[in-house]
PDB file of all heavy atoms in Angstrom:
ATOM      1  N   GLN A  54      -3.743  21.119   9.183  1.00 98.00           N
ATOM      2  CA  GLN A  54      -3.295  21.644  10.567  1.00 98.00           C
ATOM      3  C   GLN A  54      -4.221  21.136  11.590  1.00 98.00           C
ATOM      4  O   GLN A  54      -5.527  21.322  11.384  1.00 98.00           O
ATOM      5  CB  GLN A  54      -3.166  23.157  10.611  1.00 98.00           C
ATOM      6  CG  GLN A  54      -2.762  23.749  11.862  1.00 98.00           C
ATOM      7  CD  GLN A  54      -3.049  25.272  11.896  1.00 98.00           C
ATOM      8  OE1 GLN A  54      -4.243  25.665  11.962  1.00 98.00           O
ATOM      9  NE2 GLN A  54      -1.968  26.054  11.887  1.00 98.00           N
ATOM     10  N   LYS A  56      -4.736  21.451  15.714  1.00 98.00           N
ATOM     11  CA  LYS A  56      -4.299  21.922  17.063  1.00 98.00           C
ATOM     12  C   LYS A  56      -4.915  21.031  18.117  1.00 98.00           C
ATOM     13  O   LYS A  56      -5.934  20.319  17.846  1.00 98.00           O
ATOM     14  CB  LYS A  56      -4.660  23.350  17.272  1.00 98.00           C
ATOM     15  CG  LYS A  56      -4.009  24.274  16.317  1.00 98.00           C
ATOM     16  CD  LYS A  56      -4.407  25.752  16.457  1.00 98.00           C
ATOM     17  CE  LYS A  56      -3.656  26.583  15.507  1.00 98.00           C
ATOM     18  NZ  LYS A  56      -4.007  28.094  15.715  1.00 98.00           N
ATOM     19  N   VAL A  62      -7.905  21.302   9.925  1.00 98.00           N
ATOM     20  CA  VAL A  62      -8.199  22.348   9.082  1.00 98.00           C
ATOM     21  C   VAL A  62      -7.337  22.274   7.790  1.00 98.00           C
ATOM     22  O   VAL A  62      -6.062  22.106   7.958  1.00 98.00           O
ATOM     23  CB  VAL A  62      -7.965  23.788   9.713  1.00 98.00           C
ATOM     24  CG1 VAL A  62      -8.146  24.877   8.719  1.00 98.00           C
ATOM     25  CG2 VAL A  62      -8.868  23.880  10.944  1.00 98.00           C
ATOM     26  N   LEU A  63      -7.957  22.326   6.575  1.00 98.00           N
ATOM     27  CA  LEU A  63      -7.204  22.307   5.359  1.00 98.00           C
ATOM     28  C   LEU A  63      -6.413  23.644   5.266  1.00 98.00           C
ATOM     29  O   LEU A  63      -7.067  24.731   5.288  1.00 98.00           O
ATOM     30  CB  LEU A  63      -8.217  22.136   4.207  1.00 98.00           C
ATOM     31  CG  LEU A  63      -7.630  22.138   2.819  1.00 98.00           C
ATOM     32  CD1 LEU A  63      -6.818  20.841   2.542  1.00 98.00           C
ATOM     33  CD2 LEU A  63      -8.780  22.137   1.814  1.00 98.00           C
ATOM     34  N   VAL A  64      -5.100  23.469   5.004  1.00 98.00           N
ATOM     35  CA  VAL A  64      -4.330  24.770   4.792  1.00 98.00           C
ATOM     36  C   VAL A  64      -3.775  24.865   3.391  1.00 98.00           C
ATOM     37  O   VAL A  64      -3.437  25.969   2.943  1.00 98.00           O
ATOM     38  CB  VAL A  64      -3.207  24.899   5.849  1.00 98.00           C
ATOM     39  CG1 VAL A  64      -3.842  25.005   7.225  1.00 98.00           C
ATOM     40  CG2 VAL A  64      -2.219  23.699   5.763  1.00 98.00           C
ATOM     41  N   ILE A  65      -3.499  23.713   2.656  1.00 98.00           N
ATOM     42  CA  ILE A  65      -3.090  23.682   1.269  1.00 98.00           C
ATOM     43  C   ILE A  65      -3.709  22.605   0.568  1.00 98.00           C
ATOM     44  O   ILE A  65      -3.793  21.415   1.110  1.00 98.00           O
ATOM     45  CB  ILE A  65      -1.560  23.569   1.258  1.00 98.00           C
ATOM     46  CG1 ILE A  65      -0.842  24.706   1.838  1.00 98.00           C
ATOM     47  CG2 ILE A  65      -1.181  23.272  -0.185  1.00 98.00           C
ATOM     48  CD1 ILE A  65      -0.945  26.062   0.976  1.00 98.00           C
ATOM     49  N   THR A  69      -0.503  23.620  -4.137  1.00 98.00           N
ATOM     50  CA  THR A  69      -0.077  24.969  -3.807  1.00 98.00           C
ATOM     51  C   THR A  69      -1.242  25.951  -3.452  1.00 98.00           C
ATOM     52  O   THR A  69      -0.994  27.117  -3.140  1.00 98.00           O
ATOM     53  CB  THR A  69       0.648  25.598  -5.030  1.00 98.00           C
ATOM     54  OG1 THR A  69      -0.264  25.495  -6.158  1.00 98.00           O
ATOM     55  CG2 THR A  69       1.867  24.761  -5.414  1.00 98.00           C
ATOM     56  N   LYS A  70      -2.473  25.517  -3.511  1.00 98.00           N
ATOM     57  CA  LYS A  70      -3.564  26.430  -3.301  1.00 98.00           C
ATOM     58  C   LYS A  70      -3.952  26.604  -1.870  1.00 98.00           C
ATOM     59  O   LYS A  70      -3.943  25.607  -1.127  1.00 98.00           O
ATOM     60  CB  LYS A  70      -4.807  25.959  -4.130  1.00 98.00           C
ATOM     61  CG  LYS A  70      -4.568  25.840  -5.587  1.00 98.00           C
ATOM     62  CD  LYS A  70      -5.736  25.345  -6.346  1.00 98.00           C
ATOM     63  CE  LYS A  70      -5.467  25.242  -7.831  1.00 98.00           C
ATOM     64  NZ  LYS A  70      -6.652  24.761  -8.576  1.00 98.00           N
ATOM     65  N   ARG A  71      -4.236  27.828  -1.479  1.00 98.00           N
ATOM     66  CA  ARG A  71      -4.658  28.100  -0.161  1.00 98.00           C
ATOM     67  C   ARG A  71      -6.178  28.375  -0.141  1.00 98.00           C
ATOM     68  O   ARG A  71      -6.675  29.270  -0.786  1.00 98.00           O
ATOM     69  CB  ARG A  71      -4.008  29.398   0.426  1.00 98.00           C
ATOM     70  CG  ARG A  71      -2.724  29.134   1.212  1.00 98.00           C
ATOM     71  CD  ARG A  71      -2.062  30.464   1.672  1.00 98.00           C
ATOM     72  NE  ARG A  71      -1.756  31.364   0.550  1.00 98.00           N
ATOM     73  CZ  ARG A  71      -2.457  32.410   0.261  1.00 98.00           C
ATOM     74  NH1 ARG A  71      -3.510  32.826   1.042  1.00 98.00           N
ATOM     75  NH2 ARG A  71      -2.060  33.280  -0.690  1.00 98.00           N
ATOM     76  N   PRO A  72      -6.933  27.678   0.847  1.00 97.00           N
ATOM     77  CA  PRO A  72      -8.329  27.929   1.033  1.00 97.00           C
ATOM     78  C   PRO A  72      -8.493  29.428   1.447  1.00 97.00           C
ATOM     79  O   PRO A  72      -7.588  29.961   2.073  1.00 97.00           O
ATOM     80  CB  PRO A  72      -8.750  26.943   2.071  1.00 97.00           C
ATOM     81  CG  PRO A  72      -7.797  25.897   2.023  1.00 97.00           C
ATOM     82  CD  PRO A  72      -6.488  26.595   1.675  1.00 97.00           C
ATOM     83  N   SER A  73      -9.685  29.937   1.258  1.00 96.00           N
ATOM     84  CA  SER A  73      -9.918  31.293   1.839  1.00 96.00           C
ATOM     85  C   SER A  73      -9.812  31.269   3.292  1.00 96.00           C
ATOM     86  O   SER A  73     -10.193  30.272   4.028  1.00 96.00           O
ATOM     87  CB  SER A  73     -11.343  31.718   1.429  1.00 96.00           C
ATOM     88  OG  SER A  73     -12.309  30.874   1.878  1.00 96.00           O
ATOM     89  N   GLY A  74      -9.189  32.313   3.879  1.00 96.00           N
ATOM     90  CA  GLY A  74      -9.009  32.381   5.271  1.00 96.00           C
ATOM     91  C   GLY A  74      -7.739  31.885   5.809  1.00 96.00           C
ATOM     92  O   GLY A  74      -7.447  32.093   7.032  1.00 96.00           O
ATOM     93  N   ILE A  75      -6.967  31.190   5.048  1.00 98.00           N
ATOM     94  CA  ILE A  75      -5.670  30.676   5.380  1.00 98.00           C
ATOM     95  C   ILE A  75      -4.613  31.764   5.072  1.00 98.00           C
ATOM     96  O   ILE A  75      -4.484  32.312   3.977  1.00 98.00           O
ATOM     97  CB  ILE A  75      -5.342  29.270   4.665  1.00 98.00           C
ATOM     98  CG1 ILE A  75      -6.410  28.294   5.018  1.00 98.00           C
ATOM     99  CG2 ILE A  75      -3.893  28.899   5.099  1.00 98.00           C
ATOM    100  CD1 ILE A  75      -6.502  27.975   6.437  1.00 98.00           C
ATOM    101  N   PRO A  76      -3.768  32.061   6.104  1.00 97.00           N
ATOM    102  CA  PRO A  76      -2.840  33.222   5.891  1.00 97.00           C
ATOM    103  C   PRO A  76      -1.819  32.877   4.744  1.00 97.00           C
ATOM    104  O   PRO A  76      -1.497  31.749   4.513  1.00 97.00           O
ATOM    105  CB  PRO A  76      -2.191  33.231   7.251  1.00 97.00           C
ATOM    106  CG  PRO A  76      -3.099  32.715   8.335  1.00 97.00           C
ATOM    107  CD  PRO A  76      -3.782  31.547   7.494  1.00 97.00           C
ATOM    108  N   GLU A  77      -1.340  33.973   4.166  1.00 98.00           N
ATOM    109  CA  GLU A  77      -0.443  33.884   3.067  1.00 98.00           C
ATOM    110  C   GLU A  77       0.976  33.182   3.455  1.00 98.00           C
ATOM    111  O   GLU A  77       1.746  32.731   2.633  1.00 98.00           O
ATOM    112  CB  GLU A  77      -0.193  35.250   2.455  1.00 98.00           C
ATOM    113  CG  GLU A  77      -1.337  35.777   1.761  1.00 98.00           C
ATOM    114  CD  GLU A  77      -0.986  37.172   1.037  1.00 98.00           C
ATOM    115  OE1 GLU A  77       0.208  37.500   1.025  1.00 98.00           O
ATOM    116  OE2 GLU A  77      -1.949  37.760   0.526  1.00 98.00           O
ATOM    117  N   ARG A  78       1.198  33.231   4.799  1.00 98.00           N
ATOM    118  CA  ARG A  78       2.488  32.565   5.190  1.00 98.00           C
ATOM    119  C   ARG A  78       2.601  31.102   4.994  1.00 98.00           C
ATOM    120  O   ARG A  78       3.605  30.476   5.054  1.00 98.00           O
ATOM    121  CB  ARG A  78       2.840  32.916   6.637  1.00 98.00           C
ATOM    122  CG  ARG A  78       1.753  32.399   7.630  1.00 98.00           C
ATOM    123  CD  ARG A  78       2.244  32.805   9.110  1.00 98.00           C
ATOM    124  NE  ARG A  78       1.399  32.227  10.048  1.00 98.00           N
ATOM    125  CZ  ARG A  78       0.180  32.836  10.484  1.00 98.00           C
ATOM    126  NH1 ARG A  78      -0.063  34.029   9.975  1.00 98.00           N
ATOM    127  NH2 ARG A  78      -0.567  32.359  11.415  1.00 98.00           N
ATOM    128  N   PHE A  79       1.377  30.413   4.633  1.00 98.00           N
ATOM    129  CA  PHE A  79       1.416  29.049   4.347  1.00 98.00           C
ATOM    130  C   PHE A  79       1.470  28.872   2.784  1.00 98.00           C
ATOM    131  O   PHE A  79       0.642  29.385   2.057  1.00 98.00           O
ATOM    132  CB  PHE A  79       0.073  28.421   4.846  1.00 98.00           C
ATOM    133  CG  PHE A  79      -0.068  28.267   6.268  1.00 98.00           C
ATOM    134  CD1 PHE A  79      -0.441  29.265   7.071  1.00 98.00           C
ATOM    135  CD2 PHE A  79       0.486  27.208   6.967  1.00 98.00           C
ATOM    136  CE1 PHE A  79      -0.640  29.233   8.530  1.00 98.00           C
ATOM    137  CE2 PHE A  79       0.325  26.961   8.433  1.00 98.00           C
ATOM    138  CZ  PHE A  79      -0.122  28.049   9.132  1.00 98.00           C
ATOM    139  N   SER A  80       2.458  28.041   2.440  1.00 98.00           N
ATOM    140  CA  SER A  80       2.597  27.818   0.963  1.00 98.00           C
ATOM    141  C   SER A  80       2.951  26.324   0.901  1.00 98.00           C
ATOM    142  O   SER A  80       3.466  25.667   1.833  1.00 98.00           O
ATOM    143  CB  SER A  80       3.611  28.733   0.318  1.00 98.00           C
ATOM    144  OG  SER A  80       4.843  28.536   0.945  1.00 98.00           O
ATOM    145  N   GLY A  81       2.818  25.868  -0.405  1.00 98.00           N
ATOM    146  CA  GLY A  81       3.207  24.398  -0.610  1.00 98.00           C
ATOM    147  C   GLY A  81       3.854  24.143  -1.974  1.00 98.00           C
ATOM    148  O   GLY A  81       3.719  24.979  -2.922  1.00 98.00           O
ATOM    149  N   LEU A  90       5.439  21.600   2.894  1.00 98.00           N
ATOM    150  CA  LEU A  90       4.633  22.710   3.419  1.00 98.00           C
ATOM    151  C   LEU A  90       5.618  23.688   4.034  1.00 98.00           C
ATOM    152  O   LEU A  90       6.506  23.319   4.787  1.00 98.00           O
ATOM    153  CB  LEU A  90       3.671  22.234   4.623  1.00 98.00           C
ATOM    154  CG  LEU A  90       2.921  23.320   5.206  1.00 98.00           C
ATOM    155  CD1 LEU A  90       1.878  23.961   4.236  1.00 98.00           C
ATOM    156  CD2 LEU A  90       2.140  22.711   6.438  1.00 98.00           C
ATOM    157  N   ILE A  91       5.551  24.875   3.627  1.00 98.00           N
ATOM    158  CA  ILE A  91       6.380  26.014   4.161  1.00 98.00           C
ATOM    159  C   ILE A  91       5.529  27.069   4.894  1.00 98.00           C
ATOM    160  O   ILE A  91       4.514  27.532   4.448  1.00 98.00           O
ATOM    161  CB  ILE A  91       7.132  26.702   2.972  1.00 98.00           C
ATOM    162  CG1 ILE A  91       7.865  25.630   2.233  1.00 98.00           C
ATOM    163  CG2 ILE A  91       7.921  27.858   3.524  1.00 98.00           C
ATOM    164  CD1 ILE A  91       8.337  26.097   0.908  1.00 98.00           C
ATOM    165  N   ILE A  92       5.969  27.338   6.118  1.00 98.00           N
ATOM    166  CA  ILE A  92       5.315  28.332   6.932  1.00 98.00           C
ATOM    167  C   ILE A  92       6.378  29.475   7.030  1.00 98.00           C
ATOM    168  O   ILE A  92       7.315  29.330   7.799  1.00 98.00           O
ATOM    169  CB  ILE A  92       4.904  27.807   8.335  1.00 98.00           C
ATOM    170  CG1 ILE A  92       4.086  26.483   8.143  1.00 98.00           C
ATOM    171  CG2 ILE A  92       4.025  28.889   9.080  1.00 98.00           C
ATOM    172  CD1 ILE A  92       3.805  25.846   9.519  1.00 98.00           C
ATOM    173  N   SER A  93       6.072  30.515   6.490  1.00 98.00           N
ATOM    174  CA  SER A  93       7.016  31.665   6.542  1.00 98.00           C
ATOM    175  C   SER A  93       6.653  32.701   7.631  1.00 98.00           C
ATOM    176  O   SER A  93       5.444  32.906   7.855  1.00 98.00           O
ATOM    177  CB  SER A  93       7.001  32.446   5.194  1.00 98.00           C
ATOM    178  OG  SER A  93       7.273  31.559   4.037  1.00 98.00           O
ATOM    179  N   GLY A  94       7.703  33.120   8.341  1.00 97.00           N
ATOM    180  CA  GLY A  94       7.336  34.034   9.433  1.00 97.00           C
ATOM    181  C   GLY A  94       6.365  33.406  10.491  1.00 97.00           C
ATOM    182  O   GLY A  94       5.365  33.812  10.833  1.00 97.00           O
ATOM    183  N   THR A  95       6.877  32.192  10.907  1.00 97.00           N
ATOM    184  CA  THR A  95       6.091  31.244  11.812  1.00 97.00           C
ATOM    185  C   THR A  95       5.636  32.135  13.043  1.00 97.00           C
ATOM    186  O   THR A  95       6.472  32.762  13.736  1.00 97.00           O
ATOM    187  CB  THR A  95       6.882  30.048  12.186  1.00 97.00           C
ATOM    188  OG1 THR A  95       7.247  29.357  10.952  1.00 97.00           O
ATOM    189  CG2 THR A  95       5.971  29.110  12.959  1.00 97.00           C
ATOM    190  N   GLN A  96       4.435  31.888  13.431  1.00 97.00           N
ATOM    191  CA  GLN A  96       3.903  32.582  14.625  1.00 97.00           C
ATOM    192  C   GLN A  96       3.581  31.420  15.701  1.00 97.00           C
ATOM    193  O   GLN A  96       3.402  30.264  15.344  1.00 97.00           O
ATOM    194  CB  GLN A  96       2.638  33.350  14.354  1.00 97.00           C
ATOM    195  CG  GLN A  96       2.879  34.451  13.321  1.00 97.00           C
ATOM    196  CD  GLN A  96       1.622  35.235  13.074  1.00 97.00           C
ATOM    197  OE1 GLN A  96       0.650  35.113  13.782  1.00 97.00           O
ATOM    198  NE2 GLN A  96       1.620  36.152  12.075  1.00 97.00           N
ATOM    199  N   MET A  98       0.923  30.825  17.076  1.00 97.00           N
ATOM    200  CA  MET A  98      -0.379  30.146  16.829  1.00 97.00           C
ATOM    201  C   MET A  98      -0.249  29.008  15.763  1.00 97.00           C
ATOM    202  O   MET A  98      -1.230  28.324  15.610  1.00 97.00           O
ATOM    203  CB  MET A  98      -1.418  31.179  16.261  1.00 97.00           C
ATOM    204  CG  MET A  98      -1.038  31.801  14.897  1.00 97.00           C
ATOM    205  SD  MET A  98      -2.437  32.822  14.329  1.00 97.00           S
ATOM    206  CE  MET A  98      -2.238  34.182  15.501  1.00 97.00           C
ATOM    207  N   ASP A  99       0.886  28.923  15.036  1.00 98.00           N
ATOM    208  CA  ASP A  99       1.067  27.883  14.150  1.00 98.00           C
ATOM    209  C   ASP A  99       1.511  26.524  14.715  1.00 98.00           C
ATOM    210  O   ASP A  99       1.743  25.572  14.097  1.00 98.00           O
ATOM    211  CB  ASP A  99       2.116  28.376  13.023  1.00 98.00           C
ATOM    212  CG  ASP A  99       1.639  29.633  12.339  1.00 98.00           C
ATOM    213  OD1 ASP A  99       0.465  29.751  12.153  1.00 98.00           O
ATOM    214  OD2 ASP A  99       2.587  30.387  11.977  1.00 98.00           O
ATOM    215  N   TYR A 103       0.772  18.670  11.814  1.00 98.00           N
ATOM    216  CA  TYR A 103       0.469  18.879  10.340  1.00 98.00           C
ATOM    217  C   TYR A 103       0.524  17.509   9.619  1.00 98.00           C
ATOM    218  O   TYR A 103       1.464  16.717   9.817  1.00 98.00           O
ATOM    219  CB  TYR A 103       1.506  19.822   9.729  1.00 98.00           C
ATOM    220  CG  TYR A 103       1.325  21.318  10.271  1.00 98.00           C
ATOM    221  CD1 TYR A 103       1.903  21.726  11.448  1.00 98.00           C
ATOM    222  CD2 TYR A 103       0.446  22.157   9.444  1.00 98.00           C
ATOM    223  CE1 TYR A 103       1.688  22.989  11.898  1.00 98.00           C
ATOM    224  CE2 TYR A 103       0.250  23.448   9.975  1.00 98.00           C
ATOM    225  CZ  TYR A 103       0.928  23.846  11.188  1.00 98.00           C
ATOM    226  OH  TYR A 103       0.755  25.025  11.640  1.00 98.00           O
TER     227      TYR A 103
END
Side-chain angles (χ1 to χ4, degrees):
Chain A
Q54 176 194 69
K56 297 181 179 180
V62 173
L63 178 67
V64 295
I65 294 290
T69 60
K70 298 179 180 179
R71 269 181 299 106
S73 61
I75 300 301
E77 291 184 8
R78 63 180 180 275
F79 289 89
S80 63
L90 175 68
I91 300 165
I92 311 174
S93 305
T95 307
Q96 300 183 10
M98 68 174 68
D99 301 329
Y103 290 84

